[in-house]
Amino acid sequence: MVHYALHNLHNTNLHNTEVKRPRRVWPVALLATVMLGAIQPSTTAISQTSVTLRPQVSQPEQEVYPTRPPRSVIRQVRRDLAEHLNEQARRLQMISFSRETWSDSCLELGAYNERCAGTTVEGWRIELSNGQRSWFYHTDTTAQVIKLESMDETSLPPEVRERLIQTIAQQEKVPAASLIITESQPRTWDGCMGIFEPERMCTMIAISGYRVIVAGADQSWVYHVNQDGSQIVKNATASGSQGGLVPIFMPDDLPPYGEPEANVVFRTIQSGGLAGMVSERFLTSDGVIYQRTGRFNSTGADDAVVEKRISQQQVQQFQQVLMEQKLRNLDGLRYLSQEAFADYPTITIQAMNSNVEYIDLQEANMPQALQTVITTWQQL
């Protein structure tokens, strides 16, 4: 129909050009009207075509982001939880999952003092179960980063959590509403519920339970609890930090400093900082204090040099301080602040088969036992 209209218009234009030249304006207007009518259906067709193409544009996203977690992701979270629980991975099964867009680089599970980049991360929330209890993991799409949700929401039973909060409120004379469980982890205690006391013998039995960190308005506590909450014991050595300083549990992937040699009584390792240097200072049982400095992850650190020598009496006195302050009760805890996550050096103490980490900027807010150990060591 359009072609027909244009053909007749063309003949009319030729006739008018030869006979009545002044009336040329009329066919031009008519031509414009007809052409607009002809163009309009074409525009509609383009619009319809673009709509039908939209599903094809989104198709690559479905290929990049599968609707189910890849087997490698499931395998990684099962392996991690098995290590946490000291259980065989084959006994842990994924029973639910969901696609998530996490709001930060910590997958919305940053530690109490951890610094997280505010960038969105695509990933998964995966529920694992051993048939009796469930645990939830946050991951990115390929499980390069995985984080276990706070144990107080997953493995710490609600009735145990409530009993613990009420116990602390009564013992410490603080409002229960001001207490927050920041972390908890499954543990197996001995007959002393894992609390070290000098010269005390503990029955070597296995009591399933939890180690729990609780923060109040201005101080924090560490408690040892059995599985049903019928036994709740305060770890007084690790409790009492103030000024908003709340300990966190040491992760499994700390730098591999290695265990000190058998004759080493006490060892400190300072690491971090922009230079990436690691410096050690350690005391041997024969009274020699050594220093050694190297670069983190370097293949060969400088040989240790003798800093000073102390008497056997001084060695014994220092060991007595470690016993009196019950350093072993601090094992696996970190007393850090935001500066530690911004390349400020931190210090790890190794002694009495224990590891504890701290940042010297917060020394005045740490538990008194840890302050005493640090001060005595610095005075040697």
Side-chain angles (χ1 to χ4, degrees):
M1 188 60 141
V2 174
H3 291 295
Y4 176 77
L6 290 174
H7 176 72
N8 288 342
L9 183 61
H10 178 66
N11 291 337
T12 303
N13 285 344
L14 289 176
H15 177 74
N16 289 341
T17 302
E18 295 175 358
V19 181
K20 297 180 180 180
R21 196 176 189 88
R23 296 179 62 185
R24 190 175 182 181
V25 174
W26 157 247
V28 171
L30 178 60
L31 177 62
T33 302
V34 174
M35 290 182 67
L36 285 172
I39 292 172
Q40 186 63 34
S42 176
T43 305
T44 304
I46 292 173
S47 176
Q48 293 174 348
T49 301
S50 64
V51 170
T52 58
L53 287 176
R54 285 175 186 169
Q56 298 178 8
V57 172
S58 63
Q59 186 65 30
E61 295 184 2
Q62 296 177 355
E63 296 176 0
V64 174
Y65 303 117
T67 58
R68 179 183 177 85
R71 290 183 180 180
S72 58
V73 172
I74 300 172
R75 185 166 53 247
Q76 183 66 16
V77 295
R78 288 175 64 194
R79 183 186 300 119
D80 186 83
L81 183 58
E83 292 177 358
H84 274 86
L85 303 179
N86 193 24
E87 190 168 338
Q88 294 180 353
R90 63 182 176 82
R91 295 185 177 178
L92 303 170
Q93 300 298 326
M94 182 180 73
I95 60 176
S96 73
F97 63 88
S98 61
R99 278 295 313 277
E100 302 289 344
T101 300
W102 309 116
S103 61
D104 57 44
S105 61
C106 298
L107 312 184
E108 300 181 10
L109 288 177
Y112 193 80
N113 292 318
E114 187 174 359
R115 179 171 295 179
C116 307
T119 180
T120 58
V121 179
E122 295 294 326
W124 307 96
R125 184 174 187 259
I126 298 174
E127 181 183 5
L128 298 178
S129 175
N130 63 357
Q132 297 177 333
R133 186 171 296 160
S134 293
W135 295 264
F136 291 87
Y137 271 87
H138 294 194
T139 82
D140 59 6
T141 54
T142 59
Q144 295 297 311
V145 180
I146 63 173
K147 286 185 174 283
L148 178 62
E149 283 189 7
S150 177
M151 298 295 281
D152 70 286
E153 296 179 355
T154 53
S155 68
L156 194 63
E159 61 274 13
V160 176
R161 183 165 61 246
E162 180 64 24
R163 188 173 298 177
L164 174 61
I165 291 295
Q166 293 301 325
T167 299
I168 298 175
Q170 294 174 6
Q171 290 182 352
E172 305 296 332
K173 304 296 188 295
V174 295
S178 68
L179 301 175
I180 301 174
I181 295 177
T182 61
E183 281 192 272
S184 67
Q185 60 180 196
R187 297 297 291 265
T188 300
W189 305 120
D190 55 19
C192 298
M193 291 294 292
I195 302 297
F196 169 77
E197 292 287 347
E199 301 181 359
R200 182 174 71 170
M201 300 297 293
C202 297
T203 307
M204 299 306 294
I205 58 176
I207 301 175
S208 298
Y210 313 90
R211 181 165 65 162
V212 189
I213 298 173
V214 182
D218 190 51
Q219 58 181 316
S220 65
W221 302 268
V222 178
Y223 273 80
H224 298 189
V225 186
N226 70 345
Q227 199 162 28
D228 63 3
S230 60
Q231 296 184 66
I232 298 177
V233 181
K234 178 182 176 180
N235 184 336
T237 311
S239 301
S241 54
Q242 300 179 350
L245 178 64
V246 179
I248 57 178
F249 295 130
M250 281 187 171
D252 296 331
D253 57 349
L254 282 176
Y257 303 130
E259 293 297 323
E261 297 179 3
N263 68 329
V264 173
V265 173
F266 192 87
R267 180 191 189 195
T268 59
I269 307 106
Q270 179 172 302
S271 62
L274 297 176
M277 301 296 290
V278 174
S279 61
E280 297 178 61
R281 186 170 183 255
F282 56 95
L283 168 66
T284 57
S285 56
D286 57 357
V288 183
I289 297 178
Y290 293 89
Q291 280 191 340
R292 177 164 45 206
T293 302
R295 188 173 296 278
F296 180 65
N297 281 341
S298 62
T299 55
D302 297 337
D303 291 336
V305 297
V306 175
E307 176 187 318
K308 63 187 300 186
R309 298 179 185 274
I310 62 176
S311 67
Q312 280 297 310
Q313 182 180 4
Q314 289 176 298
V315 173
Q316 293 172 3
Q317 289 174 344
F318 181 64
Q319 289 178 304
Q320 184 64 28
V321 170
L322 300 181
M323 292 287 287
E324 291 173 352
Q325 300 304 318
K326 308 168 190 175
L327 182 68
R328 191 175 298 173
N329 291 330
L330 296 170
D331 183 38
L333 293 171
R334 312 171 84 184
Y335 293 85
L336 306 178
S337 57
Q338 280 286 2
E339 292 83 0
F341 299 100
D343 293 323
Y344 188 91
T346 61
I347 301 169
T348 301
I349 291 175
Q350 293 183 328
M352 299 180 67
N353 297 318
S354 303
N355 292 269
V356 57
E357 188 177 3
Y358 71 94
I359 185 170
D360 58 11
L361 294 176
Q362 291 288 339
E363 186 173 339
N365 293 321
M366 295 175 194
Q368 187 58 53
L370 183 55
Q371 292 187 47
T372 301
V373 170
I374 294 171
T375 301
T376 306
W377 170 243
Q378 290 173 344
Q379 293 174 349
L380 283 181

